[in-house]
Amino acid sequence: MAEISGTGRKENSEAVYYQAAPPPPPVAGEGASCPGPRGRFFKGLTRVVLRGHRVMFLLSLCLFLLAQTVLFFRGQAKLITAMLKDDLKILLIVDDNVPDSRIKSLESKLFARDHVTYVKFVSRDESFALVQRQDPELAQTVLTFGQNPMPRYFSIKADDTALSNIGMWMQSAIMGRVEGISGVSYNPDAVYALLQAEFYSGLLSMVIAITAIAIILLAFFVELSAAKHLPLDYKFGQAVSWMLSGFLGAISAWAILWVMVYPMKHLSPMWWSAPVLWRQAGMLACGAVLGWTMFRWKETR
């Protein structure tokens, strides 16, 4: 007769053996050989997206979307600079003792000064007519004085060199050198805003240029290293695929940005600036070069 011990051992006269204990239930997250539908979906998505040329497309899209944004704001800074320059008025008040016969010679002297790019004389009647167009109520108030009290003045424009230190330039080139000028009037805040807009425009231009040079240098050094190990036509089909991915990423970045900013053309036409074709062509070429470079770099690792 068989006996069963407390340890699960069975004994009889013919055989002695041990009964194996049942395996423990699997712990969640450990050894799951069959992922659920969500896990299979993300695993498949990762496998599809992380193909080399698709990664190149996403990299190019991100990089050139930033570059297109910088290029767009550079254009906006250029527009602001042009508007501020056109609106900036430097007025030189003519002394009341200067006869009208000397106005022409005085205008010639002003135009001959360094950094002066534009000179226009405005008479009393023209000055009053300007006030009347801009503020009719103020013009009616002016007429209560009995005669036209508006001054004669020259409206001048100066280049960037003079504007960068306009106060010193006024004292050295105008007030101390040209007789017949009794005063000067301009808005210093407008000058500072103009100089700041020009600085931003130049800064963004440098960022774009440095980025393009960096891509060119990257392509040069990668190709210099790859030429020692790989022929130029190595896996040419895959290389073209990577180039096309870089090109499509760059053109997609252009399309995304300009779809977002195109409504500005109708909402605020004065702020709209059309894309410059040669700059956009350079962006697309950089995208293709970047794709080729990244493929060659990958194959040499």
Side-chain angles (χ1 to χ4, degrees):
M1 181 175 180
E3 296 181 359
I4 302 176
S5 65
T7 59
R9 186 179 67 178
K10 293 182 179 180
E11 298 180 358
N12 56 22
S13 58
E14 297 180 357
V16 177
Y17 63 93
Y18 290 90
Q19 182 178 355
V27 180
E30 294 184 2
S33 58
C34 297
R38 182 179 299 181
R40 288 195 297 269
F41 170 77
F42 284 109
K43 185 176 180 180
L45 182 63
T46 302
R47 186 168 57 251
V48 170
V49 172
L50 293 184
R51 298 285 179 87
H53 60 281
R54 295 186 179 95
V55 172
M56 185 63 243
F57 171 81
L58 295 175
L59 176 64
S60 176
L61 176 65
C62 295
L63 176 63
F64 287 100
L65 188 57
L66 291 174
Q68 290 287 354
T69 303
V70 172
L71 189 62
F72 170 75
F73 280 109
R74 175 189 175 276
Q76 294 297 296
K78 286 284 188 182
L79 281 177
I80 293 172
T81 301
M83 292 171 60
L84 289 173
K85 276 188 176 181
D86 186 64
D87 191 59
L88 179 63
K89 295 180 176 63
I90 303 175
L91 307 182
L92 304 179
I93 311 301
V94 180
D95 196 327
D96 291 336
N97 298 325
V98 176
D100 292 339
S101 58
R102 284 191 54 199
I103 295 297
K104 286 294 184 182
S105 62
L106 192 57
E107 183 177 358
S108 300
K109 289 181 180 179
L110 288 173
F111 197 78
R113 304 311 302 164
D114 293 338
H115 309 300
V116 175
T117 59
Y118 172 84
V119 178
K120 179 184 178 182
F121 174 71
V122 180
S123 64
R124 297 182 189 273
D125 294 337
E126 291 173 332
S127 180
F128 178 76
L130 180 62
V131 173
Q132 197 170 25
R133 286 196 302 269
Q134 294 179 349
D135 194 339
E137 294 182 0
L138 179 61
Q140 292 297 325
T141 304
V142 169
L143 290 177
T144 59
F145 292 97
Q147 60 180 0
N148 186 358
M150 301 301 295
R152 299 173 298 170
Y153 63 86
F154 288 99
S155 177
I156 70 170
K157 293 183 179 180
D159 60 16
D160 295 343
T161 304
L163 292 177
S164 62
N165 197 353
I166 188 170
M168 184 176 294
W169 175 75
M170 280 290 179
Q171 291 296 326
S172 61
I174 304 297
M175 301 303 295
R177 298 295 183 91
V178 180
E179 296 182 358
I181 301 299
S182 61
V184 59
S185 175
Y186 65 93
N187 185 356
D189 291 337
V191 177
Y192 298 148
L194 172 60
L195 295 176
Q196 199 164 13
E198 287 189 333
F199 170 76
Y200 291 149
S201 175
L203 177 65
L204 295 175
S205 299
M206 289 183 62
V207 169
I208 295 171
I210 291 173
T211 303
I213 292 173
I215 292 176
I216 293 172
L217 289 177
L218 175 66
F220 173 77
F221 287 114
V222 168
E223 186 59 36
L224 190 65
S225 175
K228 300 176 182 178
H229 310 285
L230 305 175
L232 193 62
D233 58 349
Y234 177 78
K235 294 184 180 180
F236 188 73
Q238 293 186 31
V240 170
S241 175
W242 280 60
M243 287 181 64
L244 186 61
S245 297
F247 177 86
L248 291 177
I251 201 170
S252 298
W254 174 84
I256 290 171
L257 181 72
W258 287 103
V259 164
M260 290 191 293
V261 303
Y262 185 78
M264 182 185 293
K265 182 177 182 180
H266 304 284
L267 298 175
S268 183
M270 64 183 298
W271 293 106
W272 170 256
S273 59
V276 181
L277 293 181
W278 70 266
R279 292 196 184 108
Q280 299 302 325
M283 289 274 191
L284 300 181
C286 285
V289 169
L290 185 62
W292 170 272
T293 301
M294 296 306 294
F295 173 77
R296 301 279 286 179
W297 175 80
K298 178 183 75 72
E299 292 298 320
T300 56
R301 295 304 91 195

